[in-house]
Amino acid sequence: MIPYIFIAIFPIVLFLVAQQISIGYRKNCKNSTIFVRINWIYLFLAILPIGLMIALRNKSIGADTGVYIARFKELQQIPWSELFDDTRMEKGYLLFSKFINSFISTNEVVFFSICSFICMLCIGIFAYKNCKQPILFVFLYVTLGLFTFMLSGLRQSLAMCICLLGFEFAKKRKFIPFLLVVLLAFTFHKSAVFYIFVYFIVNRMVNIKNIIIYSILAFILILNLDRVQAYIGEALDYTYQIESTGNGGIFLLIMILITGFSWYYLKDDFDDIKIRALFNTNLIALFFWIARLVTRTAERPSYYFLFATIALFAETIVHPKKKENQKILLLIIIGCCLLLYVYRFYSNFSSFIPYRTFLSNEI
């Protein structure tokens, strides 16, 4: 459990160190480019251990990891002309895997390392562009569940992280570049098609009228969720059915608290396109978690939008209206997130303990 605790606490340590050092630099230096470089360095250091854990994991860490390793090894024997025969895996992912297998390395550790680098790069760019304190975003990314998912769902993780690059195009209303990014992600995992919703909501004004409209639409969709899911499953050639769910209520409560918390503290900043885009995209994630009360299948699509929820939360934490309570609030949030993180490992992700690398013979 120690490696998992380390990657959660390390960003907070860096955050506190960065706060102190930046105070000193601001007193003695007025060159803003230095602060940009410092922030990038701290962000890189915060992400590095996470990327290494994802890259160097044993095949027993993550339900689907062994499947991806086996498929990657099989590609050595499959000619390019037969690459798309008898497989459900998306063509973009297969081409990407085959290219690495043929021209870079047949070692699965190298393959996972390349995948991890791509994901961490996309996450780092997204955090830097959308958070005043991107290191705090990294902490929340680890503790609120996205990290643990990326230990297993390789194809969707790549698709999710590629979609993050499209977020900037959506904010700037550049539809063609945004669409191209989503289409690229779609070739890694078809669920990326849901990210199209982001373009049509990011710039909408945040007000009671729109919230009511979204709520009515969400209510209608949830009432017809079985038919909607059947249609989507047929269109994407997925066989997912309505899955019973006996949990998820705690995280839904967290989502509601984050949404309400950010509304209260940031409602005067919704003219800022960045804040508005994060809040609106968070509403999509909230919808999927409400739908998760009906079917657990809704959980996976929500991950595309949870990055925005985490960035919104990070922005809210460092910009409360009452500055004198900021440190106390930060400590409470850090403590609660760590408790949730540890609880999940000893319940849903107990099979991940202890962390094992590819050098371990344990299965």
Side-chain angles (χ1 to χ4, degrees), residues 71-72 75 78 80 82-102 111 155 187-188:
R71 184 59 180 168
F72 184 71
L75 289 175
I78 299 176
W80 285 89
E82 300 176 11
L83 187 60
F84 305 135
D85 297 347
D86 300 323
T87 179
R88 286 182 60 252
M89 290 187 176
E90 288 79 358
K91 293 181 179 180
Y93 172 78
L94 289 172
L95 286 169
F96 170 75
S97 303
K98 182 65 175 175
F99 177 86
I100 294 173
N101 202 306
S102 301
F111 173 61
R155 282 156 47 230
T187 67
F188 280 79

Side-chain angles (χ1 to χ4, degrees), residues 88-275:
R88 286 182 60 252
M89 290 187 176
E90 288 79 358
K91 293 181 179 180
Y93 172 78
L94 289 172
L95 286 169
F96 170 75
S97 303
K98 182 65 175 175
F99 177 86
I100 294 173
N101 202 306
S102 301
F103 300 109
I104 300 178
S105 176
T106 58
N107 188 307
E108 65 270 17
V109 178
V110 175
F111 173 61
F112 279 146
S113 297
I114 293 172
C115 293
S116 177
F117 172 79
I118 293 171
C119 290
M120 293 303 105
L121 179 63
C122 294
I123 289 172
I125 292 172
F126 176 82
Y128 190 82
K129 288 183 174 294
N130 291 283
C131 300
K132 291 184 176 67
Q133 296 292 346
I135 307 174
L136 187 57
F137 170 92
V138 175
F139 166 77
L140 295 171
Y141 155 76
V142 171
T143 55
L144 292 183
L146 283 175
F147 162 71
T148 47
F149 172 75
M150 292 177 71
L151 287 172
S152 183
L154 181 61
R155 282 156 47 230
Q156 185 174 333
S157 295
L158 286 166
M160 286 158 46
C161 292
I162 291 170
C163 283
L164 291 179
L165 301 178
F167 191 73
E168 298 306 309
F169 293 124
K171 288 194 297 184
K172 297 174 183 177
R173 309 306 296 161
K174 295 182 178 180
F175 181 69
I176 298 301
F178 172 81
L179 181 62
L180 291 174
V181 170
V182 175
L183 288 175
L184 175 61
F186 182 80
T187 67
F188 280 79
H189 202 274
K190 293 177 182 177
S191 60
V193 70
F194 290 111
Y195 207 73
I196 288 289
F197 294 139
V198 169
Y199 185 84
F200 299 101
I201 197 173
V202 285
N203 280 283
R204 291 187 63 84
M205 294 304 300
V206 180
N207 52 44
I208 299 298
K209 175 185 174 182
N210 282 336
I211 297 295
I212 292 173
I213 292 173
Y214 302 151
S215 300
I216 293 172
L217 290 174
F219 181 72
I220 293 172
L221 284 171
I222 290 173
L223 285 179
N224 296 276
L225 194 58
D226 53 344
R227 281 179 284 183
V228 172
Q229 182 165 306
Y231 174 79
I232 293 173
E234 182 178 352
L236 300 182
D237 193 26
Y238 283 160
T239 57
Y240 298 140
Q241 302 297 322
I242 295 288
E243 298 181 23
S244 60
T245 175
N247 54 19
I250 293 176
F251 196 76
L252 174 59
L253 177 60
I254 292 172
M255 290 287 297
I256 293 171
L257 288 174
I258 290 174
T259 304
F261 186 57
S262 60
W263 174 282
Y264 175 76
Y265 282 116
L266 300 177
K267 60 186 177 183
D268 295 331
D269 299 320
F270 285 143
D271 288 337
D272 183 336
I273 179 57
K274 180 183 73 175
I275 300 298

Side-chain angles (χ1 to χ4, degrees), residues 326-343:
Q326 189 175 31
K327 290 183 179 179
I328 297 174
L329 182 64
L330 182 61
L331 288 174
I332 292 172
I333 290 171
I334 289 172
C336 291
C337 288
L338 284 173
L339 286 173
L340 176 65
Y341 180 63
V342 172
Y343 167 76

